[in-house]
Amino acid sequence: MTEPIIRFEKVVKRFGDVTVLDELDFEVAKGEKVTIIGPSGSGKSTVLRILMTLEQIEDGVIHVAGKPLWHEYRDGRLVPAGETHLGEMRKEMGMVFQQFNLFPHMTVRRNVTEAPIHVLGLSKEKANERADEYLELVGLSDQADKFPSQLSGGQQQRVAIARALAMRPNIMLFDEPTSALDPELVGEVLNVIQRLAGEHDLTMLLVTHEMQFAKQISDRVCFFDKGKIVEQGTPEDVFGAPREARTREFLSNFINAAA
Amino acid sequence: MLFGIAWDTSGNWAFTTSIFPILLQGLIVTIKATVLGFFVAAVLGLILAALKGSRFRLISWPARFVTEFIRDTPLLVQLFFLYYVLPEYGIVLPAFMTGALALGLQYSAYTSEVYRAGIESVARGQIEAARALDLTPLRTFSFIVVPQAIPRIIPALGNYLVSIMKDVPLLSVVSVLEMLNVAKIIGDRTFNYLIPLSMVGGLYLVMTLVASAAIRYLDTRLPKRGIPLR
């Protein structure tokens, strides 16, 4: 097997006295679509936030694309990573947030072109072309000149997806992308994510409570509880025949999960 | 006679109308000092707020100390210091500049707190999104945080603009010919203080009412989500 694109080794994360990740070992292969499910507070969002360098880790090592994420080699020794290294590592990943986090004072187009222009150094024309490309992908070509407040929640989240994609990341992190949406708007966002899942090379990590959707798009489902992976496997196995009592108990809260 | 304009002491009304253009000369100085002082306070305050918000204590602590020091010492002390002490070290500024600078310096301590509150009111997710996109901290601050913070702090900044305007008469102690100083000189020479000082009060009232109205107008016109960037 080739080197996994993401590898957590004995990663520990604490918030004060609470241990959120407890010596977590976790791997994701290149191109793999992995869904993380679990009760709130189980540390599933933290995994994504640590990868996006929004949260630091207390112990352990994480490798992304063969390089240590929170550490770097200096004079042959592994030391805590500096901001330059973190910036390099961030280019591997894009993140979509539960609350969209679009920049409200910028048009949709500016939201999508801001980072390509000022981080990747693209010309305005090139960045605009790229924005058009991804806005078309998420079905919002005609909304480019509007401000986020003029769009529905589902449209805003699709813009956020386009914004992350415009940086051409190898790994996409989705942190409960539909949890803040009205039920009737969930579908349009899931459709976009499903289309992305069709991309062979794109690695996807999705934290969600949409069990039916997880079943459809994932290569693997991981059930997190209390900072550890309690059970993982193909969607058929985890949803169809969960081995662990804790998994069964959790899944029983979702009426449609086994359907 | 002042600024080449003579006064007419033949009657109260004649006196009032004759010194009005003289007081206007002082008013112009007052307005200039207000604008310059506010400009310094607005820019320096933002810089101080940015430094205070730094993750590095080596940067944030000195900025906090400076703010605290400026805020906890009287404006008049700072004014005298700049006016009498700096020239001993070869820095000679015109009285007007020294005064406007002292005003700006004093108020930068206050505006920096206003900025800080405005900056902290910007949702955490905004900064996280910027970080996820790998925008630099400087770019995030200037183009994501500040444009969203500004509309929220306009009323508070406006209050300080009015305060600065009302503090300008302090500059008379370092011989700046602002409006109150002009009125006092007129009084000294004509032995009539009532009319010029009343006029200063009246003119101040007009100015502050206009400024307050302008701020209220600005506040209703600015979009609450941030200054739109196309």
Side-chain angles (χ1 to χ4, degrees):
Chain A
M1 192 180 144
T2 50
E3 170 80 357
I5 194 164
I6 298 171
R7 196 172 76 224
F8 280 57
E9 289 167 86
K10 298 218 177 305
V11 171
V12 177
K13 172 71 192 172
R14 290 187 209 94
F15 290 117
D17 293 338
V18 186
T19 303
V20 186
L21 297 183
D22 185 8
E23 299 202 353
L24 177 70
D25 291 313
F26 178 54
E27 288 186 1
V28 179
K30 187 166 165 44
E32 200 181 7
K33 320 298 187 244
V34 176
T35 304
I36 299 174
I37 59 171
S40 52
S42 60
K44 49 195 198 314
S45 287
T46 309
V47 169
L48 301 197
R49 293 174 56 80
I50 285 173
L51 279 168
M52 200 65 253
T53 74
L54 300 175
E55 305 280 1
Q56 274 180 297
I57 56 174
E58 264 77 47
D59 202 3
V61 181
I62 301 168
H63 279 80
V64 173
K67 282 177 282 183
L69 177 68
W70 279 105
H71 302 83
E72 63 183 314
Y73 287 101
R74 212 176 281 157
D75 308 323
R77 282 186 317 147
L78 210 55
V79 296
E83 196 51 37
T84 321
H85 176 78
L86 291 177
E88 279 304 309
M89 297 308 292
R90 264 179 233 134
K91 289 193 174 57
E92 293 286 331
M93 293 168 280
M95 183 156 177
V96 174
F97 299 88
Q98 183 177 354
Q99 301 294 340
F100 330 139
N101 294 350
L102 289 179
F103 305 131
H105 58 303
M106 295 181 177
T107 59
V108 165
R109 177 179 299 284
R110 177 93 192 247
N111 262 282
V112 181
T113 57
E114 176 74 12
I117 291 173
H118 296 285
V119 177
L120 303 181
L122 258 58
S123 71
K124 217 174 164 196
E125 294 72 39
K126 276 257 186 288
N128 274 328
E129 275 172 34
R130 205 183 260 205
D132 290 335
E133 179 188 329
Y134 288 108
L135 286 175
E136 197 188 327
L137 183 80
V138 301
L140 292 170
S141 297
D142 49 342
Q143 311 287 332
D145 294 318
K146 290 195 178 162
F147 283 92
S149 56
Q150 296 167 293
L151 303 179
S152 73
Q155 288 173 321
Q156 289 189 44
Q157 191 60 296
R158 281 145 70 196
V159 173
I161 293 171
R163 179 175 72 173
L165 287 173
M167 295 298 280
R168 304 248 164 102
N170 293 316
I171 304 166
M172 278 290 280
L173 309 170
F174 294 91
D175 186 10
E176 304 197 27
T178 58
S179 298
L181 295 174
D182 291 338
E184 76 267 26
L185 301 176
V186 169
E188 59 186 81
V189 173
L190 293 185
N191 279 338
V192 168
I193 298 174
Q194 183 152 35
R195 216 170 310 148
L196 286 177
E199 301 235 353
H200 183 73
D201 282 340
L202 187 69
T203 308
M204 277 176 38
L205 257 178
L206 172 74
V207 172
T208 189
H209 291 295
E210 300 285 335
M211 297 303 159
Q212 194 57 42
F213 182 69
K215 206 169 160 184
Q216 282 170 29
I217 68 146
S218 328
D219 298 320
R220 176 155 57 108
V221 175
C222 298
F223 173 64
F224 266 66
D225 194 27
K226 300 194 174 77
K228 278 191 181 292
I229 297 176
V230 174
E231 179 164 3
Q232 57 179 325
T234 62
E236 290 74 24
D237 288 346
V238 175
F239 291 123
R243 291 185 310 271
E244 302 290 330
R246 186 70 191 91
T247 318
R248 279 195 293 273
E249 187 194 332
F250 175 73
L251 288 175
S252 69
N253 297 321
F254 297 86
I255 313 158
N256 296 324
Chain B
M1 198 164 103
L2 198 62
F3 300 125
I5 304 166
W7 44 72
D8 178 355
T9 48
S10 59
N12 282 347
W13 185 242
F15 185 57
T16 305
T17 49
S18 69
I19 64 168
F20 189 66
I22 305 174
L23 286 177
L24 281 189
Q25 295 289 323
L27 180 70
I28 289 166
V29 175
T30 299
I31 290 172
K32 278 185 182 164
T34 304
V35 170
L36 188 61
F38 183 70
F39 179 77
V40 172
V43 174
L44 202 61
L46 182 58
I47 294 170
L48 278 176
L51 296 180
K52 276 193 284 190
S54 169
R55 284 186 291 140
F56 304 104
R57 285 178 183 179
L58 212 62
I59 298 174
S60 67
W61 282 15
R64 262 185 223 166
F65 177 78
V66 168
T67 313
E68 209 54 40
F69 181 80
I70 293 173
R71 208 165 44 170
D72 295 344
T73 49
L75 175 55
L76 209 49
V77 174
Q78 292 163 23
L79 186 59
F80 276 4
F81 193 87
L82 290 179
Y83 190 68
Y84 293 110
V85 179
L86 282 189
E88 288 182 28
Y89 296 92
I91 303 167
V92 183
L93 291 171
F96 172 79
M97 287 306 240
T98 313
L101 197 68
L103 276 175
L105 204 62
Q106 169 88 22
Y107 276 91
S108 70
Y110 296 106
T111 55
S112 76
E113 286 301 305
V114 171
Y115 280 120
R116 206 174 52 84
I119 287 163
E120 278 170 10
S121 76
V122 174
R124 176 116 199 90
Q126 292 289 306
I127 294 158
E128 290 185 347
R131 190 164 157 90
L133 291 167
D134 203 25
L135 295 171
T136 62
L138 182 66
R139 179 115 201 134
T140 304
F141 184 73
S142 338
F143 287 85
I144 307 296
V145 177
V146 170
Q148 292 186 60
I150 294 277
R152 296 169 202 184
I153 62 177
I154 286 288
L157 280 187
N159 285 338
Y160 284 124
L161 175 74
V162 173
S163 289
I164 290 176
M165 188 149 59
K166 291 196 293 182
D167 273 352
V168 170
L170 279 173
L171 305 196
S172 63
V173 299
V174 293
S175 77
V176 173
L177 282 176
E178 50 68 51
M179 188 162 55
L180 182 71
N181 204 3
V182 170
K184 187 180 161 291
I185 292 169
I186 295 171
D188 287 345
R189 299 202 191 153
T190 60
F191 303 108
N192 185 341
Y193 290 98
L194 175 67
I195 290 175
L197 289 182
S198 307
M199 287 171 76
V200 168
L203 284 168
Y204 253 109
L205 191 61
V206 171
M207 279 202 300
T208 47
L209 287 176
V210 168
S212 303
I215 292 153
R216 259 203 306 281
Y217 175 77
L218 206 59
D219 189 37
T220 55
R221 291 303 300 267
L222 275 175
K224 289 290 159 274
R225 287 173 171 279
I227 296 166
L229 299 179
R230 290 238 153 235

